[in-house]
């Protein structure tokens, strides 16, 4: 009976904290069983917000991707950039190094950036999922759903003016499952993501371009659109 009351009390406390919108993490500390995670909404510093987001992702529970991966892959590039790229998910090299786009696809992405006078000091890069899907498979719909709130928060923190979705996984995660990349690529559109509403464009994923080099001409068309938009927005 006594035990039930204590459990009920804990549940009420958790409900109360949920109600007042405070995120909690369970602590092993014997004195304070519950530690408060800083509420991202009350933090103004971008780097601190990103660190809170990183912790939230590190604290994901019951995730098969996380269980199978070596390292969490959060982002690379300039946190103050107004140009953000989103890929699909880490591959083997990224999983080893904890950085996005450092393998073969990353080398091609660097060339694509260079072609329009960009590089990693001028852009910000992340992925739909932050842990490597085993055998480089596409993340499942369930996995994408699980990580989508983090990706959206990530975009909100960076506040890009231009958002480039690399490949169909990023495209479908942000702009809807019904879209087909061959039709949707190379066109600007806008979607409200939390407090920001960037100009969005979909283009082919560099890993796809490695497999289908004849599509590089379409990719080049998209890159030129991005270059023009950067000029137009004076970024
Ligand atoms: N492919 C992606 O989509 N992301 C990476 O980080 C690496 C390869």
């Amino acid at each position: 009976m006594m035990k039930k009351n204590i459990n009920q009390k804990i549940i009420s406390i958790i409900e109360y904290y949920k109600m007042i919108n405070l995120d909690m993490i369970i602590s092993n500390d014997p004195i304070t069983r519950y530690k408060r995670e800083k509420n991202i909404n009350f933090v103004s510093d971008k780097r601190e917000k990103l660190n809170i987001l990183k912790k939230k992702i590190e604290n994901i529970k019951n995730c098969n991707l996380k269980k199978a991966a070596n390292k969490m892959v959060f982002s690379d590039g300039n946190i103050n950039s107004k140009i953000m790229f989103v890929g699909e998910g880490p591959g083997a090299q990224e999983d080893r190094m904890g950085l996005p786009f450092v393998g073969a696809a990353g080398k091609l992405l660097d060339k694509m950036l260079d072609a329009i006078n960009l590089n990693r000091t001028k852009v910000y890069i992340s992925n739909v999922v932050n842990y490597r899907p085993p055998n480089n498979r596409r993340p499942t719909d369930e996995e994408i759903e699980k990580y989508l709130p983090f990706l959206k928060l990530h975009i909100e923190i960076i506040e890009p003016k231009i958002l480039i979705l690399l490949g169909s996984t990023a495209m479908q995660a942000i702009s809807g499952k019904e879209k087909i990349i061959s039709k949707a690529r190379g066109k600007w559109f806008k979607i409200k993501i939390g407090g920001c509403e960037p100009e969005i464009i979909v283009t082919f994923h560099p890993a796809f371009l490695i497999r289908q080099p004849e599509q590089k001409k379409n990719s080049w068309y998209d890159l030129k659109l991005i270059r023009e938009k950067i000029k137009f927005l004076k970024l």
Side-chain angles (χ1 to χ4, degrees):
M1 186 63 184
M2 180 73 170
K3 202 171 177 193
K4 196 170 173 202
N5 282 343
I6 291 170
N7 285 343
Q8 274 168 348
K9 207 170 170 190
I10 292 170
I11 290 167
S12 313
I13 293 169
I14 292 172
E15 288 304 316
Y16 170 71
Y17 276 106
K18 270 191 196 154
M19 202 177 72
I20 62 169
N21 197 24
L22 287 177
D23 295 334
M24 292 197 301
I25 51 167
I26 294 176
S27 161
N28 286 330
D29 184 333
I31 298 167
T32 42
R33 296 278 310 159
Y34 293 100
K35 260 204 263 177
R36 245 194 296 150
E37 247 181 32
K38 270 196 186 163
N39 188 318
I40 220 160
N41 299 319
F42 301 141
V43 174
S44 55
D45 181 67
K46 207 179 229 187
R47 195 170 293 279
E48 202 180 334
K49 280 186 184 199
L50 289 169
N51 283 336
I52 294 171
L53 174 60
K54 221 185 218 174
K55 282 219 177 76
K56 279 178 187 285
I57 298 171
E58 276 164 358
N59 285 331
I60 283 181
K61 301 278 179 294
N62 301 322
C63 176
N64 289 334
L65 293 183
K66 180 180 165 183
K67 281 180 199 153
N70 285 306
K71 286 197 176 158
M72 197 254 263
V73 176
F74 187 67
S75 69
D76 195 16
N78 181 344
I79 66 166
N80 294 313
S81 172
K82 292 291 156 206
I83 307 160
M84 179 168 178
F85 286 76
V86 177
E88 180 178 288
Q93 296 236 41
E94 289 78 15
D95 179 54
R96 237 173 276 132
M97 293 179 67
L99 281 172
F101 286 100
V102 288
K107 293 213 167 66
L108 180 53
L109 178 61
D110 286 338
K111 283 188 187 160
M112 290 159 70
L113 293 177
D114 188 55
I116 52 170
N117 307 317
L118 296 177
N119 58 51
R120 290 187 194 223
T121 69
K122 295 181 183 168
V123 303
Y124 188 78
I125 306 171
S126 191
N127 278 310
V128 173
V129 297
N130 303 94
Y131 292 99
R132 181 194 182 202
N135 305 317
N136 295 345
R137 64 162 170 76
R138 189 181 191 273
T140 63
D141 288 353
E142 201 188 312
E143 287 159 355
I144 293 169
E145 282 300 312
K146 193 167 200 150
Y147 283 82
L148 193 54
F150 301 117
L151 174 61
K152 287 188 173 168
L153 194 49
H154 210 153
I155 295 169
E156 262 195 86
I157 296 171
I158 296 299
E159 291 185 294
K161 293 256 192 292
I162 296 178
L163 180 64
I164 298 124
L165 304 176
L166 296 168
S168 58
T169 303
M171 173 191 73
Q172 291 180 346
I174 293 295
S175 69
K177 278 204 73 182
E178 67 293 341
K179 285 201 176 176
I180 298 166
I181 190 157
S182 54
K183 294 218 174 92
R185 54 147 282 275
K187 293 172 194 144
W188 292 104
F189 58 99
K190 280 190 167 200
I191 294 178
K192 212 163 172 0
I193 302 169
C196 70
E197 197 174 5
E199 298 270 2
I200 306 177
I201 194 165
V202 176
T203 191
F204 289 128
H205 192 289
F208 172 79
L209 293 173
I210 293 172
R211 293 194 303 274
Q212 308 241 347
E214 71 279 5
Q215 291 295 340
K216 282 186 181 171
K217 58 181 182 303
N218 284 325
S219 168
W220 176 231
Y221 173 90
D222 302 345
L223 288 171
K224 283 190 286 186
L225 288 181
I226 296 164
R227 186 173 63 187
E228 278 165 27
K229 186 67 83 181
I230 291 169
K231 202 168 167 198
F232 180 74
L233 295 176
K234 300 191 171 68
L235 300 180

